[in-house]
């Protein structure tokens, strides 16, 4: 399952620095606009303590974590929707992603220039919001023009539904509201809205890039941003990209943990960001565990057992018979699959079973 989060923001807010911390890809980090022209793509390992714990119990030959893709997209500027900067190209890169990580500068540093001269994350957010909204409005108006006549004068039921969906989204956009806040009543309406692939319909995570002094409790910039997005369907994460780059240079896990401890942190901002991005995509993890490998598999929340079986191999889904399920807590409590079975804690589930995050699965199939 290949899913992408795109990192966006104005120039010089710390996007590429953060991206470099997230992956081994070497996006150029420089103190001038447009140092990232083509989107850099990194395949990022999703940290999961449960995978390590299972490996300790099973002693497999190898451990395979799950991953997501992070795309570093060049900095947007005012007027991007009209082609300013490298506008249309950047917006097309955003459209191709499944979710957005919007990095905002929430620190003062006279050695790092700001594209507008003064640090103001709320203003920066509004600049990019406006560009995304304008591009979506352009898309919606084009769609409305195509179906309006059929919806109002013909008997085309689908056109009427589409016109209603487009009109509701346009109303929100004209109010300066993102498309993702518009709720729909039916699956057909949701499908029509989804097929628009609007920029402002994508789930979003705001990342406040702060200085070291603000990494635990935030600062006035973070407070202002939190107030500005309180009515949005969005999350906020506080990270210090400079600290993350220092952590990334340390050689051992022990050194990194000691560094974090000295700062009063339990976990790196990078780990928290990856987990938040994974959640943002509505993703969860199930595991397979055996002597050859302990492996994490990605699935969408709400998927049933056959769909999850198909993540491993399409034949598993086609010939699905049943799933043998062990809850993660039971596996850890009893220490082995054999002990779990003896305790009667392995469950046999059929096609309607909704897989839960952390389930340890064994699929039976016949093709």
């Amino acid at each position: 399952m290949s899913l992408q989060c795109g990192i966006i923001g104005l120039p010089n807010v710390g996007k590429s620095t953060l991206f470099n911390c997230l992956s081994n890809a070497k996006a150029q980090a420089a103190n001038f606009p447009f140092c990232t022209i083509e989107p850099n793509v990194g395949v990022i390992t999703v940290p999961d303590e449960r995978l390590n714990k299972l490996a300790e119990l099973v002693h497999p030959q190898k451990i395979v974590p799950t991953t997501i893709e992070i795309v570093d997209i060049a900095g947007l500027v005012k007027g991007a929707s009209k082609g300013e900067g490298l506008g249309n190209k950047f917006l097309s890169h955003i459209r191709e992603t499944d979710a957005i990580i919007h990095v905002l500068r929430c620190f003062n540093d006279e050695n790092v220039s700001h594209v507008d001269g003064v640090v103001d994350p709320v203003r920066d957010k509004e600049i990019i919001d406006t560009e995304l909204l304008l591009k979506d409005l352009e898309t919606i108006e084009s769609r409305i023009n195509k179906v309006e006549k059929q919806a109002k004068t013909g008997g085309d039921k689908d056109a009427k539904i589409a016109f209603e969906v487009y009109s509701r989204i346009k109303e929100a956009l004209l109010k300066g509201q993102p498309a993702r806040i518009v709720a729909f009543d039916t699956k057909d309406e949701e499908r029509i809205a989804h097929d628009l692939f609007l920029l402002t319909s994508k789930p979003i995570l705001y990342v406040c890039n702060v200085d070291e002094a603000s990494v635990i409790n935030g600062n006035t910039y973070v407070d202002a941003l939190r107030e500005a997005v309180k009515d949005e369907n969005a999350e906020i994460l506080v990270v210090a990209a400079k600290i993350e780059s220092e952590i990334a240079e340390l050689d051992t896990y022990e050194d990194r943990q000691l560094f974090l401890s000295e700062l009063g942190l339990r976990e790196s901002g990078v780990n928290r960001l990856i987990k938040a991005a994974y959640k943002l995509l509505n993703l969860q993890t199930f595991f397979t565990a055996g002597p050859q490998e302990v492996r994490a598999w990605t699935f969408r929340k709400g998927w049933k057992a056959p769909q999850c079986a198909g993540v491993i191999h399409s034949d598993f889904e086609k010939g699905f018979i049943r799933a043998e399920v062990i809850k993660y807590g039971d596996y850890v409590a009893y220490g082995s699959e054999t002990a779990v079975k003896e305790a009667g804690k392995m469950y046999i589930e059929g096609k309607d079973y909704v897989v839960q995050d952390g389930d340890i699965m064994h699929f039976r199939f016949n093709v």
Side-chain angles (χ1 to χ4, degrees), residues 19 49 66 69 81 84 88 135 183 186 196 256 286 288 330 344 355-356:
F19 177 83
E49 296 79 6
T66 191
E69 290 185 359
S81 62
E84 292 295 325
N88 288 327
K135 200 65 179 178
T186 69
L196 290 168
R256 291 192 289 272
F286 73 85
T288 53
D330 289 336
V355 177
Q356 302 299 303

Side-chain angles (χ1 to χ4, degrees), residues 38-54:
E38 295 299 331
N40 294 278
V41 181
V43 179
I44 312 299
T45 297
V46 178
D48 196 322
E49 296 79 6
R50 298 171 301 181
L51 185 66
N52 297 329
K53 184 62 179 179
L54 288 172

Side-chain angles (χ1 to χ4, degrees), residues 114-127:
H114 189 286
V115 69
D116 283 327
V118 180
V119 175
D120 184 344
V122 174
R123 178 207 57 209
D124 294 352
K125 170 194 174 302
E126 290 172 350
I127 288 172

Side-chain angles (χ1 to χ4, degrees), residues 294-326:
V294 169
R295 183 163 183 160
W297 301 88
T298 299
F299 70 100
R300 284 198 180 277
K301 184 178 180 180
W303 276 12
K304 293 183 179 180
Q307 289 174 287
C308 289
V311 173
I312 298 176
H313 196 286
S314 59
D315 285 348
F316 284 28
E317 182 173 7
K318 292 175 184 176
F320 179 88
I321 299 172
R322 67 178 183 273
E324 297 170 356
V325 183
I326 300 173

Side-chain angles (χ1 to χ4, degrees), residues 41-107:
V41 181
V43 179
I44 312 299
T45 297
V46 178
D48 196 322
E49 296 79 6
R50 298 171 301 181
L51 185 66
N52 297 329
K53 184 62 179 179
L54 288 172
E56 290 175 9
L57 297 172
V58 178
H59 305 293
Q61 293 178 22
K62 63 178 179 177
I63 305 169
V64 184
T66 191
T67 61
I68 57 173
E69 290 185 359
I70 304 290
V71 185
D72 179 24
I73 298 170
L76 289 172
V77 296
K78 188 182 295 185
S81 62
K82 301 301 180 185
E84 292 295 325
L86 299 177
N88 288 327
K89 194 171 184 180
F90 296 168
L91 293 169
S92 71
H93 290 152
I94 296 171
R95 195 180 302 280
E96 292 165 5
T97 64
D98 300 287
I100 295 172
I101 299 171
H102 186 168
V103 182
L104 291 149
R105 178 171 169 175
C106 295
F107 67 90

